[in-house]
Amino acid sequence: MAESITIIDNRNGESIEIPLLNGGVSATEWSKLLPGVWFYDPGFMSTAACESAITYLDGDAGILRYRGYPIEQLAEQSTYLEVAYLLLYGELPTTEQYAAWKNEITSHTFIHENVRKRFLDGFHYDAHPMGMLVSAVAALSTFYLDAKEIFDPESRNKQVIRLIAKMPTLAAAAHRFSVGMPFVYPDNSLDFAENFLSMLWKVAEPRFEANPVLAHALDVLFILHADHEQNCSTTAMRVVGSSHSDPYSATAAAAAALYGPRHGGANEAVIRMLTDIASIENVPDFIATVKSGQGQRLQGFGHRVYKSYDPRAKIVKRIAYEVFEVTGKNPLLDIALELEEIALADEYFTSRHLYPNVDFYSGLIYQAMGFPLEMFTVLFSIPRTVGWLAHWQEMLDQDSKIARPRQLYIGSEPRDYVSITAR
Ligand code: CMC
């Protein structure tokens, strides 16, 4: 059987056969037969905007792989920095490569004093840390003028390392500012997650000792959030990067996309929802309101791509129990479990293939660890920076076109300007 489709233009009987390649048909071929006839695809529901070798996702089967490696194995056996290397360079590092990589990241954790003292300290006292992070990342482009050299391999790699290394420092600085605590400088003798926890929680002790269970949980959450192929923020990264802007500006755009409650803001929304529900007895009424369409959606449920249980959600649920052993159980857990049980047995949710996504349980962990809700999306931004950068590099290496979709115009016909006094 031919792996192709044939399109016939019924207006004139002309046809074109287009091969099916990697599960897609080329829109360029389509345009040869039908120039000026556009695909109407709001939200890119049926559009593959690029070819990518980074992450494989099968939403029906609940499969997620980075560079071919199952997410379950990476979460169980790898570390966030190793996964970062894998996503960026395509292969797991050798012992020497890993040591050099860790050293590179560790030696770029400091931020310029002006970023903190002049820029971050200039925010209003109640600034949202995610807003601070988005702006601070964009501001970094003004400190590294070589960042514009995006086709110089050395310069490009340096910005990649800087961004990965400085993201936790900026995130922690935003947190400390929002709670009125002094900035803590990075401690480069610590691991990536431990150092982040030190910059967040250190008070007066000479050296912060992170709880190993919590540091490990954070590292696993970083692995799970590192990439998810063409999601909203990664698409923003590729779109902005396609105009050849510098990686700090493109990362700021990606982080801004992540900020929204339909994307990275969902775990914050989950906690607000669970807090509003307040007790297990209220769960059935809440579900009824969701189903009626009159209230909010069931936050942390549903996904554009996963039409079965999000494999990351399973791992997060397991990690949650490990964290609760240390922190004590998050009292909202019982409400979450009840919601999940009722929703998974309800035709409304099953018929729409709505299952828990990665955000359903991650917020419970962050809250139990002591993070304020405003920090949740910030915590997502740190590891997703790796995914954004991996896609940005891939896009540049593919010599991609500037992202510039078409529209179907539905506005006024031509009309003449009327002066303001005559309207
Ligand atoms: N609760 C109740 N109904 C839902 C939900 C939900 N969470 N999600 C989708 N639906 C319904 C929706 O009302 C629609 O029903 P109908 O066909 O009767 O109109 C149907 O399911 C399809 O919904 P959709 O909005 O067309 O689906 P989408 O693929 O555009 O949306 C989504 C995906 C993630 C935006 C959506 O499921 C949602 O809003 N979920 C809640 C927010 C959330 O948890 N987001 C985190 C996503 S995972 C992390 C990340 O990617 O950042």
Side-chain angles (χ1 to χ4, degrees), residues 45 228 231 258 261-264 266 290 297-305 307 310 312 348-349 352 354 357-359 380:
M45 302 279 287
H228 212 231
N231 53 84
L258 189 72
R262 282 174 158 187
H263 189 10
V290 169
R297 288 185 166 189
L298 179 47
Q299 299 299 327
F301 257 67
H303 198 276
R304 171 62 59 80
V305 183
K307 299 303 169 198
D310 181 338
R312 301 168 301 171
Y348 174 92
F349 295 93
R352 289 171 177 77
L354 301 170
N357 59 50
V358 69
D359 287 329
F380 193 159

Side-chain angles (χ1 to χ4, degrees), residues 216-358:
H216 175 254
L218 202 57
D219 204 63
V220 174
L221 286 166
F222 283 173
I223 292 173
L224 300 181
H225 285 92
D227 192 44
H228 212 231
E229 50 117 303
Q230 310 309 320
N231 53 84
C232 180
S233 57
T234 303
T235 300
M237 182 84 185
R238 279 189 179 255
V239 168
V240 175
S242 77
S243 75
H244 292 176
S245 63
D246 70 82
Y248 300 99
S249 304
T251 300
L258 189 72
Y259 197 175
R262 282 174 158 187
H263 189 10
N267 50 14
E268 186 178 334
V270 170
I271 297 298
R272 293 192 195 282
M273 171 188 77
L274 295 175
T275 308
D276 285 348
I277 295 172
S279 99
I280 292 189
E281 292 73 53
N282 299 333
V283 169
D285 282 351
F286 178 79
I287 293 275
T289 320
V290 169
K291 286 164 59 177
S292 73
Q294 303 303 310
Q296 62 169 307
R297 288 185 166 189
L298 179 47
Q299 299 299 327
F301 257 67
H303 198 276
R304 171 62 59 80
V305 183
Y306 289 120
K307 299 303 169 198
S308 67
Y309 213 103
D310 181 338
R312 301 168 301 171
K314 283 185 195 151
I315 303 167
V316 176
K317 197 171 172 182
R318 177 169 53 75
I319 294 289
Y321 284 102
E322 289 173 24
V323 167
F324 297 158
E325 287 284 315
V326 176
T327 61
K329 191 174 83 174
N330 187 325
L332 298 176
L333 175 69
D334 291 333
I335 301 175
L337 290 170
E338 183 75 0
L339 272 174
E340 182 184 349
E341 193 177 324
I342 294 184
L344 293 184
D346 189 309
E347 196 269 342
Y348 174 92
F349 295 93
T350 52
S351 65
R352 289 171 177 77
H353 307 289
L354 301 170
Y355 294 86
N357 59 50
V358 69

